[in-house]
Amino acid sequence: MRRRPDPLGTLALAAIAGAFGPLHAQESGSGLIREPDSPLLISREWLPVASVTMAFPASARSNREALLAQAGDAALLAALREATADQPVRVTYDRDATGRYFIATAAPEVAESVLETMRRASRTTLPTRLVDEAVSALRRDLAFRGELPRSQFDRIMDAHLRGAGGTLDGGSPVASPDSAGLAAEITTGSPASRWGPPTWVVVGNEEAFPTDESRAIPPFLVVGAPARPPEPLLTRVPSDAVTHWTGSVFRFPSQTTLLEAFFVRLLLEELLESRRDPDLFEFDTGIDALGRLVVRLSTSAEMSGSWETRLDEAILRLGSEDGGVRLDQLLPRVLSRWSRELAPAPGAGRAAAEALLRGATELQAASFANSAASLPSAERLRAVARGTTLESRVVYGGG
């Protein structure tokens, strides 16, 4: 039986919409527009909670900028938790290569006040006490893990993705951040002034704000033909580590949509992790800010080469129609996983925020957040996988 929306949630989202401008369609096809700094509202038929997502772009162009973001985000998260401590709210944090996400899961009746609290925090200089605590925690973390082989590999891979090829040195020591200098830089302005206006998404159970997502053209991850070197770039960084870490960067073909790229990534994970090999220690995939598929894995030294081959062959098999992967067996599991990610309000809000950070229109972002029933065709997914090519690879470990 269909449940009616919670009237408190209805009133809360109505207040949000009234305070920050109604959503409305444009004849130009550009989708929904909002007043500056107002949220994209995503409606669900019935939800027991609402979510408010505030997102900043990743924008870490250097190691120091990454440290600034890490410490500043920790201080901002602490400030948000303190500011909402007396309300039925849980504030969490997540980040990827596209953005940094502050996600508040709240009772519907307090969604408006939570949004206002988060907006105010983004525009206010962070308390010195919280910044000092965040910087001290960062220093302790670097002192404990900074020289571990995994941390060195991550720094090398991040520099490689930024195009800083000349800095790929596994033996470089980690410079401990200057606490006073780092804290002073974080407190020179508000998070919004440093990182730019945040992206906002509110997910709730109000049905009075319909969005005609049927008009939304799927957001493209790759529009034009990607430029890439004629041969994949292979970089080997020697170290004394017994474990080998491999980072592989793949380019999707032209006209790949965001949803297609996500499904190819999830299919790859399902294919390679369905039967966990004891020689595979870690396996992680993501789509970076430039729309590239990035796969990081660690293996025993003896199996490093075979896992590189296995990864490349898995993508070939996904794209092959003869003797390839049975997508009819993999797709239901992948769709179930994607549906579980988007079902809760925080998951839908985070997905929409990521789409917005990647340049999607509001209609496209709402459609992406509601894409659990929009399975790409197997033929199209095979075409995307078939056109996916290896751009570069970094191998860390061994002599």
Side-chain angles (χ1 to χ4, degrees):
M1 182 177 68
R2 178 177 174 180
R3 301 187 64 168
R4 298 183 62 185
D6 181 357
L8 290 176
T10 297
L11 292 175
L13 277 187
I16 292 171
F20 301 109
L23 303 180
H24 58 280
Q26 291 291 309
E27 293 300 324
S28 63
S30 60
L32 305 175
I33 64 171
R34 310 183 308 273
E35 295 296 324
D37 207 26
S38 66
L40 166 64
L41 301 177
I42 296 181
S43 305
R44 291 294 176 86
E45 181 177 328
W46 179 85
L47 283 174
V49 297
S51 73
V52 180
T53 300
M54 174 176 64
F56 292 98
S59 65
R61 294 179 292 270
S62 66
N63 186 59
R64 180 170 179 78
E65 195 168 69
L67 294 178
L68 281 169
Q70 187 174 343
D73 286 357
L76 178 55
L77 178 63
L80 291 172
R81 286 174 171 170
E82 286 189 357
T84 58
D86 61 343
Q87 296 178 302
V89 180
R90 183 170 67 95
V91 185
T92 58
Y93 174 81
D94 194 13
R95 64 181 178 181
D96 58 20
T98 305
R100 298 127 56 198
Y101 310 91
F102 299 84
I103 306 170
T105 305
E109 62 269 19
V110 302
E112 180 188 2
S113 63
V114 169
L115 173 61
E116 183 56 35
T117 297
M118 295 176 73
R119 292 178 72 243
R120 188 164 53 247
S122 73
R123 296 173 173 178
T124 305
T125 301
L126 293 169
T128 302
R129 167 181 57 88
L130 297 181
V131 173
D132 289 341
E133 291 174 359
V135 172
S136 296
L138 176 61
R139 285 178 61 88
R140 291 193 299 270
D141 182 68
L142 289 177
F144 176 69
R145 297 191 301 178
E147 287 305 316
L148 294 178
R150 168 61 190 273
S151 297
Q152 293 191 38
F153 167 71
D154 284 338
R155 289 195 304 276
I156 290 168
M157 192 64 193
D158 290 343
H160 177 75
L161 293 173
R162 291 194 299 266
T167 65
L168 304 187
D169 182 1
S172 298
V174 179
S176 182
D178 171 26
S179 297
L182 204 63
E185 192 167 349
I186 293 172
T187 54
T188 54
S190 68
S193 66
R194 170 172 292 280
W195 305 111
T199 292
W200 298 96
V201 179
V202 174
V203 181
N205 60 10
E206 169 54 35
E207 295 181 308
F209 307 102
T211 57
D212 184 8
E213 297 167 15
S214 64
R215 297 190 304 109
I217 300 172
F220 287 103
L221 184 72
V222 181
V223 178
R228 59 178 181 269
E231 294 293 336
L233 173 65
L234 175 62
T235 303
R236 295 193 180 274
V237 182
S239 80
D240 296 330
V242 176
T243 299
H244 279 209
W245 285 265
T246 301
S248 303
V249 183
F250 297 88
R251 285 277 186 180
F252 289 110
S254 175
Q255 304 301 306
T256 299
T257 69
L258 181 60
L259 186 61
E260 290 166 352
F262 264 70
F263 265 78
V264 169
R265 177 178 70 85
L266 295 175
L267 283 169
L268 183 64
E269 288 185 3
E270 188 70 30
L271 180 61
L272 290 178
E273 289 196 300
S274 58
R275 297 180 180 178
R276 289 302 301 266
D277 190 310
D279 291 308
L280 179 65
F281 306 147
E282 299 170 278
F283 185 85
D284 177 72
T285 69
I287 300 173
D288 75 355
L290 299 179
R292 300 173 297 185
L293 173 63
V294 180
V295 181
R296 307 184 194 216
L297 58 86
S298 63
T299 68
S300 62
E302 295 78 11
M303 298 299 295
S304 177
S306 64
W307 263 100
E308 292 174 32
T309 301
R310 187 170 178 178
L311 172 61
D312 296 340
E313 290 179 345
I315 293 180
L316 290 175
R317 290 174 58 205
L318 284 174
S320 175
E321 297 181 3
D322 298 324
V325 178
R326 289 285 304 275
L327 291 186
D328 60 331
Q329 295 178 352
L330 284 184
L331 277 174
R333 298 200 295 268
V334 168
L335 182 59
S336 175
R337 174 179 167 183
W338 185 236
S339 299
R340 290 195 302 271
E341 290 184 20
L342 296 181
R350 188 199 180 286
E354 179 175 354
L356 290 172
L357 288 176
R358 290 186 181 275
T361 67
E362 288 83 353
L363 271 180
Q364 290 172 331
S367 177
F368 184 67
N370 292 322
S371 61
S374 304
L375 177 66
S377 69
E379 293 77 12
R380 179 57 190 160
L381 291 174
R382 284 201 189 277
V384 171
R386 191 160 51 246
T388 298
T389 55
L390 178 66
E391 177 183 274
S392 61
R393 175 165 285 151
V394 174
V395 180
Y396 176 77

